[in-house]
Amino acid sequence: MSLPSHSQIIVIGGGIIGCSTAYHLAKDHKAEVLLLEQGKLTSGSTWHAAGLVGQLRSSASITQVLRYSVDLYKKLDAETGLETGWKMSGCLRLACNEDRWIEFKRLATTARSFNMDMHLLSPSEVKAMWPLMDVSDLVGATFLPTDGQANPTDITQSLAKGARMHGVRIVEGVRVAGFRMDGERITAVETAQGTIACETVVNCAGQWARQLGELAGINVPLQPVKHQYIVTEPIAGLASDTATVRDPDRRTYFKEEVGGLVMGGYEPNPQAWTTGDVPDSFEFQLFDDDWDHFEQHLHQAIARVPALENTGVKQMINGPESFTPDGNFILGRAPECENMYVGAGFNAFGIASGGGAGWVLAEWVMSGEAPLDLWTVDIRRFSELHRDRQWVCDRTLEAYGKHYTIGFPHEEYETGRPRIVSPLYERLQERRAVFGSKLGWERPNWFAPPGTEPQDLYSMGRQNWFDAVGEEHRAVREAVGLFDQSSFAKFELRGSGAAAAMDAICANHVSKPAGRLTYTQLLNSRGGIECDLTVARLADDHFYIVTGTGFRTHDGTWIRDHLPDGGEATLTDVTEDFGTLSLMGPKARDVLQAVTTADCTNEAFPFGHVQEVEIAGHPVRALRITYVGELGWELHTPLSATGDIFDALMTAGAAHGIRPCGYRAIESLRLEKGYRAWGSDITPNDSPFEAGLGWAVKLKRDLNFIGRAAAERTANSPLKKKLACFTVEDSGVVLLGRETILRNGEFAGYLTSAGFGYSVGKSIGFGYVRHADGVNDDYLSSGNYELVVATERVPATLHLEPLYDAANARIKM
């Protein structure tokens, strides 16, 4: 087939993701689409995928994406006439110890929260379902009946046929050599067969997606990892409808295929392929069989299915799969390019994701916005750090090795650390800080008391830091704490059009006089919360924007993308220019006043204001704001001066009981005060009105802003859900989020975030109570509530007001 001179959209890559995206672009949006494949369809990693299809993830939106895949695979053959090999055999997940069993009971609760029917089975019930299995070491298992398996090649060919039926042109044997660029925009795709002008490019190039992105200056942090599985000869007594099995404690998986088994696993010592370019010619190719490396899986598989010891092996598949540094796939518009979208890095579950990923990516391409909260897979979760190929490789191998390990709460990655440290790193180490990592930054999570080992000891219950964090929490409530938050992402917007630009993108009124500080959300066209940040107006033409560490690329890109055309406003990332010390607690003013000549009284320096003050001979941007519910300031210091200012504050604060505190204390403190966390309590799926933040939306002002129309519709209609706070009386109950909310015994939602409040002495959770006929305070107050915690129902109390208020009654229960 000859190449056209132009196409509206060019999809690059003919695996399952590329074919699914092309199919949905044409079917759902009637787009003009050209799909280019350098070899033959499925010739990358699709053809040798194992084909297991699971649906449940910790994110409701990603679970919805995977469920869409299943729904599509069930009916695609009827549309195209090509079978997909879909078989809804269900999936067993085996637990061999109590920690895993608790994890699975929490997983079953999450499934219920997401309206999925996951069963908990005894070992004898597992044996009845899978007679060939040795269940002697099992504690139990979960069973999700709607999971299954499919033939990767058949699904992809069926999607390709469906795409063609809706007008997509698919051309094989065309390798993309480069892109013509106009600034940060692709104007044409260059190939050996000719140049094709286009409006949009979708990079679905699989294991080649990283190097294809580089041709346009785009970073797609992928690492190909060798993944092996075997296909056995037929096994007597193995039924064709046998459930697939995931045996995480033995790091293996099984599925039935033509009377035999496909068996593979995720080993703790994975093998990377290359940190360089993947050869263009590596199509329909495999690596040599590596039985020495695979032997660890064979031993575990034979112990689980003894019949394998006397079963022949028809074939070993040893091929590369694209993995990412955090185990989540990659979707969305690349921040470095205005019109390249990416769908890649599916971590060996591309078949499970393929149908749904193509659907949401097509929606994203056509609207410029993600249709759901897809933050966990958004390419904007990465940063410049992820251009380091060796760092990406090391972290990716760790993520691969954790694929089947127990997912302990609050677990941190260990590779590639420390990478980015604040000037206080050594000072905090000396004070026995236990660090976590966020977007490469080392951040103190908690401080170990003398005689306590300064390290996390993970468990499914209360962890070893619980009491120490309680002491930090109480110091902030009763005296004063000092937090190193230098990792905050920070931006400056300057220019004569800066105020107009902020008015256009912020939901709250931020163009206040210089010296004022505003908390605001940035909304998408659906009225959902895309960013959650603070804006300080330093001068008429100068704004200082502060947001969370992990949201640096996301929020910076969102702001740049939505600045009004032709306006005189320039956004600059100044994250590394400033350190940030948060001085918080009822004695914070006493400490601050002791180190500066500025007037820190409430009259001279009220809440919601910003001033430049001098501390230890250095200029400091002091922001009177709090995320812990106490009197306090964020002190934004020149980065090189952070140590001097920390020392001055600690010296002055000694008489007031000052102590350094960590991020786990922040989480406890903010839960008591009812402050929302973006990415959990507030997301692109949630409006400010549903989240109880309608007061921060400037609908009474005659100012247009992005999302205003949707915000007005929500504000003027009955709410279908509303965020509420819950506590449980039993302090031993550990809440983590995703626990099911029951109202009068019926499903009403699930927790979005949770933790322990040391001032109130109770576990706290936030979650949206949902009701199709409307939710208001009277509806919320009239119900009786329970939370389902690891399948157990626990009585809960709903609260409409913050549990803690420093200004008034303090603890409000």
Side-chain angles (χ1 to χ4, degrees), residues 651-777:
T651 299
H656 302 285
I658 196 170
R659 64 185 295 168
C661 301
Y663 273 82
R664 292 197 176 132
I666 292 175
E667 181 67 5
S668 169
L669 293 158
R670 74 96 186 166
L671 284 167
E672 287 187 341
K673 182 58 179 172
Y675 290 135
R676 282 66 164 142
W678 193 87
S680 54
D681 305 317
I682 50 177
T683 76
N685 289 349
D686 310 309
S687 82
F689 301 94
E690 295 165 337
L693 299 173
W695 55 268
V697 183
K698 57 190 178 194
L699 290 183
K700 293 182 180 179
R701 293 181 177 270
D702 187 22
L703 291 171
N704 195 20
F705 58 91
I706 296 168
R708 176 171 186 132
E712 287 177 331
R713 289 193 296 271
T714 303
N716 295 319
S717 304
L719 298 177
K720 305 296 184 184
K721 64 179 184 180
K722 191 169 184 181
L723 192 69
C725 175
F726 298 88
T727 58
V728 296
E729 291 298 321
D730 185 350
S731 62
V733 172
V734 178
L735 300 181
L736 299 174
R738 302 297 178 268
E739 291 85 359
T740 301
I741 302 167
L742 301 178
R743 180 182 183 276
N744 299 337
E746 300 293 327
F747 173 81
Y750 55 87
L751 297 187
T752 52
S753 69
F756 190 81
Y758 295 90
S759 298
V760 301
K762 296 178 181 179
S763 289
I764 304 169
F766 279 86
Y768 288 91
V769 176
R770 302 160 192 267
H771 184 53
D773 293 332
V775 178
N776 56 28
D777 286 355

Side-chain angles (χ1 to χ4, degrees), residues 515-594:
R516 294 295 302 276
L517 180 69
T518 307
Y519 165 70
T520 186
Q521 293 88 42
L522 313 186
L523 307 184
N524 56 38
S525 65
R526 305 186 309 277
I529 300 170
E530 283 289 342
C531 309
D532 180 71
L533 40 80
T534 56
V535 178
R537 192 170 193 180
L538 304 182
D540 288 349
D541 60 351
H542 186 188
F543 291 83
Y544 184 58
I545 302 166
V546 183
T547 189
T549 304
F551 314 137
R552 179 178 182 176
T553 306
H554 175 277
D555 289 7
T557 303
W558 180 270
I559 294 169
R560 285 191 184 91
D561 287 349
H562 293 85
L563 291 176
D565 292 336
E568 293 294 326
T570 301
L571 187 74
T572 306
D573 187 325
V574 294
T575 299
E576 277 80 20
D577 292 351
F578 294 92
T580 303
L581 294 171
S582 291
L583 182 71
M584 299 287 160
K587 298 181 180 179
R589 179 177 285 114
D590 298 327
V591 177
L592 184 59
Q593 192 65 80

Side-chain angles (χ1 to χ4, degrees), residues 305-323:
V305 184
L308 285 173
E309 189 167 16
N310 301 308
T311 301
V313 175
K314 291 199 296 187
Q315 185 182 16
M316 170 177 275
I317 303 293
N318 184 6
E321 295 277 359
S322 286
F323 285 80

Side-chain angles (χ1 to χ4, degrees), residues 139-418:
V139 176
T142 65
F143 180 63
L144 192 58
T146 53
D147 279 355
Q149 60 190 76
N151 183 300
T153 298
D154 289 350
I155 287 180
T156 303
Q157 293 291 355
S158 188
L159 285 166
K161 183 176 180 182
R164 289 188 183 101
M165 290 167 60
H166 293 286
V168 174
R169 297 182 67 177
I170 297 177
V171 185
E172 297 173 304
V174 178
R175 181 169 295 127
V176 172
F179 301 99
R180 290 187 181 175
M181 308 288 296
D182 180 6
E184 294 184 349
R185 186 172 187 83
I186 297 170
T187 59
V189 174
E190 296 178 332
T191 77
Q193 291 93 322
T195 298
I196 314 157
C198 63
E199 279 79 59
T200 304
V201 172
V202 188
N203 178 355
C204 298
Q207 60 191 351
W208 293 276
R210 182 192 64 80
Q211 57 217 60
L212 182 73
E214 282 186 341
L215 297 175
I218 290 161
N219 181 37
V220 185
L222 299 179
Q223 175 59 49
V225 180
K226 297 179 181 180
H227 185 73
Q228 298 183 92
Y229 64 86
I230 59 172
V231 184
T232 75
E233 299 285 355
I235 302 173
L238 188 66
S240 62
D241 61 350
T242 297
T244 62
V245 175
R246 289 177 171 84
D247 190 359
D249 293 312
R250 294 186 179 273
R251 296 179 177 268
T252 54
Y253 60 80
F254 304 89
K255 76 164 186 173
E256 186 277 336
E257 186 166 297
V258 197
L261 284 176
V262 166
M263 185 279 289
Y266 290 86
E267 61 275 17
N269 58 333
Q271 297 175 315
W273 178 18
T274 175
T275 56
D277 287 351
V278 174
D280 290 336
S281 60
F282 203 87
E283 302 162 357
F284 295 116
Q285 293 186 52
L286 297 171
F287 304 117
D288 292 339
D289 296 348
D290 189 346
W291 290 101
D292 289 342
H293 191 72
F294 194 72
E295 185 179 14
Q296 58 190 305
H297 295 315
L298 280 175
H299 284 306
Q300 297 294 342
I302 291 170
R304 179 63 66 212
V305 184
L308 285 173
E309 189 167 16
N310 301 308
T311 301
V313 175
K314 291 199 296 187
Q315 185 182 16
M316 170 177 275
I317 303 293
N318 184 6
E321 295 277 359
S322 286
F323 285 80
T324 65
D326 61 5
N328 291 321
F329 54 88
I330 299 173
L331 291 180
R333 209 211 78 197
E336 306 94 334
C337 180
E338 294 180 7
N339 60 337
M340 178 182 274
Y341 290 78
V342 179
F346 282 83
N347 301 279
F349 58 96
I351 307 308
S353 314
W359 159 56
V360 294
L361 188 53
E363 295 281 341
W364 208 331
V365 168
M366 297 306 295
S367 70
E369 290 181 359
L372 306 169
D373 170 26
L374 298 174
W375 168 240
T376 58
V377 298
D378 193 322
I379 192 171
R380 293 171 294 179
R381 71 188 188 273
F382 301 119
S383 69
E384 287 298 304
L385 163 68
H386 296 89
R387 291 187 180 273
D388 183 330
R389 299 290 301 126
Q390 190 58 54
W391 191 95
V392 167
C393 179
D394 293 344
R395 179 57 62 86
T396 300
L397 292 181
E398 183 183 5
Y400 180 107
K402 289 178 179 289
H403 193 88
Y404 274 164
T405 59
I406 294 171
F408 288 112
H410 313 291
E411 188 172 359
E412 296 277 351
Y413 284 102
E414 298 178 359
T415 51
R417 297 178 56 190

